[in-house]
Structure formats: C-alpha cells, structure tokens
Amino acid sequence: MTDSKPSNAPLALFETLPSTRTIPHISLATLPTPVKHLEKLGSEIGCRSLWVKSDDQSGTEYGGNKVRKLEFLLGEALAQGYKEVWTVGAIGSHHALATAIYARQVGLRPAVLHFPQPVTEHVRKNLKAICSTNPVLTLASNKLTLPVEVGKAKMKQWLSTAQNIYYIPGGGSSPPGVLGYVNAAFELKQQIERGETVLPDYIFVAAGTCGTLAGLILGARMAGLDTQIIGVRVVDKIMTNAAITAHLANKAGKILRAHGVQDIPHISISDVTLLDDYFGEDYGKPTDEGMEALGLCAKCSDVVLEPTYTGKAFAAIIGERERLDLANKNVLYWHTLSGADLSARIASVDVARDLPDGYQKFFEDDL
Ligand SMILES: *Cc1c(COP(=O)(O)O)cnc(C)c1O
C-alpha cells in the first residue's frame, strides 16, 4: 500500500476565513479534487453543460466523501487526546472502511459495530478491506436492535477496558464532519474564480446521513454561490430528511461561530431540497433508473457509479431534465464514491483467519 500524500495546499475554508484555522483538523485528503467537464455525457443526456466534482479522487488510501469529514472528526479526536475511535455502519459501509483506514493511519485504534445488509461482491470486498486495518469488529443481529446492541457493546466490551473512545456516528455526519463539506463548497468557489469550471445552477449529490448535503448547503450560502444544492435521497426518510439536514448545518454553523465567523446564515427546512423519487424500494436495492445511469456513465464518461448511492443520485439528473429545464442550465454532479484501488488490502486478508466467527457466513453462499 502506498503512503497517503495529502496535498499541502491550505483548506479553502481556512484561506477564506482565517479565524477557522483554530478548528481541530488533520490533513488526510488530496485537495482540491478536480472538476471536469463531461461533454459527451452532457450532450447524451441533454444538459447544456454537465460537470463532475471528482471526490472519487479525494484520497490515495481511500477516496469518496467520507475523507473530507474525517479530516475534522479525527482531527478533533486527536486534539482531545483520544486513543480509539468507534463507529457504526452496515457490513459493506464505506464510512466504516474509511474511518478504519484513516484512524489507523493517524495512530488511533478503529472499532466498528456492524449490522447486516444484503451481501454483494462490493460488500465482501469492503469487509475484507476493513480487516486489513485490524479493527475491533462487533456484529449486531440487525438494524432495529442496533441501538440496544450499541449500548450493550459499549458497556461490556469497551467502556470497561478502554474508556478513551471517540464516537463517530453513522456516515460521519456529526457537526465537525459537516465542516468537511462546508470547506468543499469554498473549494468549488475558488475553482470557479480560477476559471476551472462554471457556476452551476444545480448541484446534484447523493444524500444518506445528510452530512454532505448539509455542508454543501451551508458552505454554498456562506461562500455566496448562487446554486441550488439538490440532495437525492438514497436512505429511508427516518435517516434522510430536511429536518436532519438543516439541524446538522446549523450545528456546524455553531462551531464556525465559536471560531470567530460572524453572520453565519441560518438554514431552515425550506432551504433543503431532497428528491424522494429515486430511492426505489429500499436502501441498497438497485433501481432500473439507477442501473441505466450506471450504464450511461460507463458508455459516455469515465465516471464509475454503483447502485446504492451514486447510481440513484445520477439517475436524478436524467429524471429531472425536463422539470428543471437542464437543457438550459449548468449542472454539477458531485461524485461521492471512492475511486481508490483496494486490491492490495483485499489480497492481504484471509477470511477464515482474519474475520471474526460471526462474519464467516457472509462469505459462504454463492452470489
Ligand atoms: C456515505 C455515502 C454517501 C452519503 O453521504 P451522506 O453524507 O451520508 O449523506 C453518498 N455516496 C457514497 C458513495 C457514500 O459512501
């Protein structure tokens, strides 16, 4: 595995609002991520101008949208002297994987409470990859008993032995994590000012735990970008909704205020746009529109989508073309899936040797 080489460029947020430099932060990501014109794909879909913000390239060890959040989350954990980080996610969780990889890299011990999800090849790869970080893994029996099991596991396994635990909620969507995407909006503003891209009328992004969306909404407002951010819901409404998004944005705003930023805009529920029509039947369950988007991106661009998040998000661009008159608009698709190569990690793991007993069953059946 190669060493992660974060760029030394100062964060756009810190450059623009110097008082925020006192916010705990650690460089993990390769920033700024490129922004590219998708000419062929745009004309295929019928968008006047289609761009991609390539957060797939946000990290060498692992990319996607979680790295930006972890810069502030792990930065805070280190600043507060924690030794172990603890988080939750489905067995194929990108967030759990990103957290484990970067926690190890900065010298923190990763621990994950997993819950099952339908097993796919992607899930198996992520499970193997997370094992390469030698994390503490615990498996809850299902999503519904998770809160109880979180409590039990916390009490039994860790609080007795290691009390020095920094907790990161699912998806990394706590207020410090949201700052990663406030910064991302300032980063886009700089790229527009440098002429690397145009001011988008619309930004489309997948919304799960809503931290990415919340950060972009607050950040775009603060940076003075006249852009509508459109979240495409890919998780149940109980997790993905405008109330949670606005709440997260305002909590992140509070951190910025505590670090000297004045005139933080208040984000209300009506400031949040979330599309419900691309979710389909369930989290992780592919939709026809999502699969069509996957195929179209593969045919006309080098943007690689998957069915759970990014396929559904991109399907919304195709699906909203008429309603939002995208033939006369500038559209930015914010890509949130890691493009990092995990093959060395995956090859280093032996399922029978390295995964805890309860996990063996995820590798037994033919897919
Ligand atoms: C986690 C994730 C998301 C959702 O981001 P949130 O901040 O949780 O809304 C979108 N796309 C991919 C690929 C992800 O892994």
Side-chain angles (χ1 to χ4, degrees), residues 65-66 69 94 171 173 206-212 306 309-310 336-337:
N65 65 339
K66 305 307 184 299
K69 300 178 182 186
H94 300 141
S173 288
T209 57
C210 301
T212 305
E306 46 62 60
Y309 297 94
T310 51
T336 49
L337 178 69

Side-chain angles (χ1 to χ4, degrees), residues 84 86-91 110-116 127 130 135-141 146 149-150 152-154 156-158 356 358-359 362:
E84 180 163 336
W86 192 88
T87 195
V88 296
I91 52 174
V112 178
L113 186 68
H114 272 137
F115 55 88
L127 259 182
I130 201 172
V136 178
L137 296 183
T138 305
L139 186 62
S141 34
L146 189 67
E149 303 204 41
V150 168
K152 272 203 312 212
K154 250 188 186 170
K156 264 202 210 149
Q157 265 197 285
W158 288 307
Y359 288 76
F362 302 125

